């Protein structure tokens, strides 16, 4: 009797302990959004930063690149460290470092001071970023809840680029460029204080960091990202560009060989055996590469050609961010029923149509007639294409490999965005000629170069159709036959 009455009580208690709260999701998603937004929030403020701290034209790009390079290079190490040392611990330490670096950067009085703070931000982001995804994957164990949580996180990551431009424009116009860094402080402090109370520490998986692999991966990705960055400003045939890219390839090949022989690899190669997961990783490489023209060139087009100020420029991206976020209500309901393939096959053509529309811009184009439509198409298409990818990649990952899997995911995002931008800037430079290299391009020349870059974005986005077709379809179980009803004669 006592056993029968005690069992339900234990079951309810266990279920209650396992049921994650909305506050935990809010903490994790807000922190992830803060890290992603930081990649673009500085863009609108760059002219003000240059004026305030005396950056040279060449040095100004490193306000963005210092963060991108450090973040991208350390992601794999940060993800695996979370698996071994504790994901919540790495998340809290990373957010704390990112927050302190944001405060220090906002107080900068010299270019060197700000760049050092941006490097520290990148280190903190690499510690926290992979563990945000891993925490959700291991915290939300009920399949439907997990899909919703991961879809929301994926939407925030995808829309974060546009949201960063909006926030950057508002803060720069209303206050000063320093507030694009100060804004991180209250959110970071809140996450650091609340996470230990409301986000559970998943089970740790004892092991050791595989340092030869960690070193070759970090240096290899760093060299590759640096090569892409250098190519965007100095050309693909420059000696430093070729040397950096060559070193990156050699180091990454060495990394793969080390992983094949390692008993505790930094990135278990079994992650790529699942077809849909491997295809999802490719999607995260191509997607940001295709979208970078919309973020990088449109920001300048809106200011140079349309004459918008920082605030209006940021708000101009609101339709894209809003329509992409709206997909978080649609995708979690459809993904378990139809799988990622139909969603991506719908989203990719919408993205392509939006990018193709942007190739028709001219110096006489207006916002409502020439930009609003492409913004909405890119938001809807990006949401349908990207929001399913994180649940697909993380949905079936073993708990002990969640950090490594999310580290690979974010690494692909960073490499895709950096490579895409480098290629697009090279295309832009070739289209505008010496005037573009000298920074003296007029509005007509800028639009000509931007349209050439947008054509290449369309070509890259066509690869997303191949990605969509490569997803394995969801096989739903056949319906059970209805039981035969036998009517006996009276």
């Amino acid at each position: 009797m006592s056993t029968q009455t005690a069992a339900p009580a234990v079951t309810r208690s266990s279920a209650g302990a396992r049921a994650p709260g909305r506050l935990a999701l809010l903490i994790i998603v807000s922190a992830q959004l803060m890290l992603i937004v930081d990649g673009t929030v500085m863009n609108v403020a760059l002219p003000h930063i240059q004026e305030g701290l005396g950056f040279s034209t060449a040095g100004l790009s490193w306000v963005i690149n210092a963060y991108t390079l450090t973040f991208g290079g350390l992601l794999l190490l940060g993800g695996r460290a979370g698996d071994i040392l504790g994901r919540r611990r790495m998340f809290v330490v990373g957010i704390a470092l990112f927050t302190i670096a944001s405060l220090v950067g906002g107080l900068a009085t010299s270019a060197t001071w700000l760049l050092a703070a941006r490097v520290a931000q990148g280190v903190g982001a690499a510690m926290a970023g992979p563990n945000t995804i891993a925490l959700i994957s291991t915290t939300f164990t009920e399949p439907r809840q997990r899909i919703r949580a991961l879809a929301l996180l994926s939407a925030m990551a995808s829309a974060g680029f546009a949201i960063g431009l909006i926030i950057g424009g508002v803060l720069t116009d209303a206050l000063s460029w320093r507030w694009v860094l100060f804004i991180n402080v209250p959110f970071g402090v809140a996450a650091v204080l609340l996470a230990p109370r409301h986000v559970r520490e998943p089970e740790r998986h004892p092991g050791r960091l595989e340092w030869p692999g960690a070193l070759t991966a970090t240096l290899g990705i760093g060299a590759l990202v640096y090569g892409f960055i250098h190519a965007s400003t100095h050309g693909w045939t420059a000696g430093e560009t070729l040397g950096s890219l060559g070193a990156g390839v050699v180091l990454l090949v060495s990394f793969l060989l080390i992983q094949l022989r390692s008993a505790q690899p930094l990135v278990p190669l079994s992650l790529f055996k699942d077809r849909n997961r491997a295809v999802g990783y490719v999607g995260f490489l191509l997607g940001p590469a295709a979208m970078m023209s919309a973020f990088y060139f449109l920001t300048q087009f809106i200011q140079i050609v349309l004459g918008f100020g920082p605030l209006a420029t940021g708000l101009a991206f609101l339709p894209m961010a809003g329509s992409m976020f709206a997909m978080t209500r649609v995708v979690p309901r459809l993904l378990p029923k139809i799988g990622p393939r139909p969603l991506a096959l719908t989203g990719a053509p919408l993205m392509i149509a939006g990018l193709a529309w942007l190739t028709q811009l001219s110096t006489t184009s207006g916002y409502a007639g020439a930009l609003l439509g492409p913004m909405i198409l890119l938001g809807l298409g990006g949401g349908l294409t990207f929001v399913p990818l994180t649940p697909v990649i993380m949905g079936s990952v073993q708990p002990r490999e969640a950090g490594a899997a999310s580290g690979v995911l974010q690494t692909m995002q960073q490499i895709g965005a950096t490579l895409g931008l480098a290629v697009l800037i090279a295309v832009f430079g070739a289209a505008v000629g010496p005037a573009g290299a000298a920074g003296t391009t007029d509005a007509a020349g800028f639009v000509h170069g931007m349209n050439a870059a947008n054509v290449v974005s369309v070509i890259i986005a066509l690869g997303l159709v191949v990605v969509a077709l490569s997803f394995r379809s969801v096989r739903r179980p056949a319906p059970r036959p209805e039981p035969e009803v036998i009517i006996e004669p009276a």
Side-chain angles (χ1 to χ4, degrees):
M1 186 73 168
S2 61
T3 303
Q4 292 176 346
T5 56
V10 171
T11 302
R12 285 194 297 270
S13 174
S14 299
R18 285 196 298 267
R22 293 185 177 180
L23 185 54
L25 179 61
L26 178 63
I27 293 167
I28 296 170
V29 170
S30 298
Q32 174 71 0
L33 179 61
M34 181 174 66
L35 303 180
I36 296 297
V37 161
D38 208 74
T40 56
V41 72
M42 305 290 288
N43 283 353
V44 179
L46 286 179
H48 300 268
I49 293 173
Q50 184 176 22
E51 181 181 352
L53 297 182
F55 273 95
S56 66
T57 302
L60 187 63
S61 64
W62 282 99
V63 175
I64 305 297
N65 295 339
Y67 179 77
T68 302
L69 184 61
T70 314
F71 186 20
L74 294 173
L75 275 168
L76 293 180
L77 183 58
R80 186 59 177 149
D83 290 337
I84 297 173
L85 303 176
R87 297 186 184 112
R88 190 184 68 186
R89 174 185 294 180
M90 291 294 293
F91 171 79
V92 170
V93 172
I95 293 296
L97 175 58
F98 181 88
T99 303
I100 293 170
S102 297
L103 177 61
V104 171
L107 297 172
T109 57
S110 69
T112 302
W113 181 339
L114 178 59
L115 292 181
R118 293 290 285 168
V119 169
Q121 279 187 300
V123 175
M127 295 171 67
N131 291 293
T132 58
I133 301 175
L135 279 170
I136 284 184
S137 181
T138 54
T139 297
F140 293 84
T141 54
E142 196 276 319
R144 193 173 296 273
Q145 282 187 334
R146 177 187 289 182
I147 288 175
R148 288 175 180 171
L150 288 173
L152 177 62
L153 189 75
S154 181
M156 289 294 95
S158 300
F161 291 99
I163 294 172
L165 295 173
I166 296 170
I167 295 174
V170 170
L171 293 176
T172 302
D173 197 60
L175 298 169
S176 81
W177 68 264
R178 297 181 185 276
W179 281 92
V180 301
L181 291 163
F182 288 152
I183 190 65
N184 294 326
V185 176
F187 291 99
V189 169
V192 169
L193 294 178
L194 294 175
R197 297 179 57 187
H198 299 283
V199 179
R200 295 192 307 273
E201 177 70 90
E203 179 185 357
R204 299 179 191 176
H205 303 281
R208 59 181 179 82
L209 284 175
E210 202 267 309
W211 287 108
L215 185 63
T216 53
T218 300
L219 293 177
I221 293 172
L224 212 59
V225 172
Y226 178 79
F228 296 151
I229 292 171
H230 195 270
S232 68
T233 54
H234 295 82
W236 293 93
T237 59
E240 193 170 345
T241 299
L242 295 175
S244 182
L245 293 176
V249 170
V250 170
L251 285 165
L252 290 179
V253 170
S254 302
F255 166 72
L256 290 176
L257 294 176
I258 292 171
Q259 299 308 286
L260 289 171
R261 300 174 183 176
S262 176
Q264 297 185 21
L266 188 69
V267 176
L269 298 183
S270 58
L271 290 174
F272 301 94
K273 290 182 179 179
D274 182 279
R275 177 174 169 176
N276 279 1
R277 187 181 301 123
V279 171
Y281 282 141
V282 176
F284 268 125
L285 180 71
L286 294 177
M291 291 286 283
M292 284 310 293
S293 64
F295 295 124
Y296 181 79
F297 291 109
L298 278 189
T299 305
Q300 299 176 65
F301 175 85
I302 292 170
Q303 295 181 78
I304 294 173
V305 178
L306 300 185
F308 286 17
L311 175 59
T313 299
L315 293 177
F317 285 86
L318 192 58
M320 182 191 297
S323 55
M324 188 175 291
F325 183 74
M327 292 299 97
T328 62
R329 307 295 298 174
V330 175
V331 170
R333 298 175 182 177
L334 296 179
L335 186 59
K337 299 176 182 178
I338 64 176
R341 187 173 184 176
L343 294 172
L345 279 175
T346 303
L350 290 176
M351 276 187 61
I352 293 168
L355 291 169
W357 194 341
L358 291 178
T359 64
Q360 304 304 306
L361 291 175
S362 70
T363 55
T364 59
S365 297
Y367 179 81
L371 287 184
L372 182 59
M375 291 274 193
I376 294 173
L377 286 176
L378 289 173
L380 295 175
L384 289 169
T385 305
F386 301 143
V387 170
L389 294 184
T390 300
V392 165
I393 290 170
M394 301 299 298
S396 61
V397 171
Q398 295 299 318
R400 68 172 51 251
E401 296 176 347
S406 58
V408 174
L409 185 158
Q410 293 192 350
T411 300
M412 298 298 276
Q413 280 183 308
Q414 287 295 312
I415 291 178
T418 309
L419 173 60
L421 184 57
V423 170
L424 294 172
I425 289 176
V427 172
F428 174 87
V432 299
T440 58
T441 309
D442 58 11
F446 174 82
V447 171
H448 173 68
M450 180 186 66
N451 285 341
N454 285 334
V455 170
V456 175
S457 289
V458 172
I459 295 171
I460 296 173
L462 289 172
L464 292 171
V465 177
V466 179
V467 166
L469 291 170
S470 300
F471 278 120
R472 195 182 301 277
S473 300
V474 173
R475 295 182 180 179
R476 284 172 286 180
R480 295 179 179 178
E482 295 291 333
E484 184 179 0
V485 179
I486 301 176
I487 302 176
E488 297 182 356

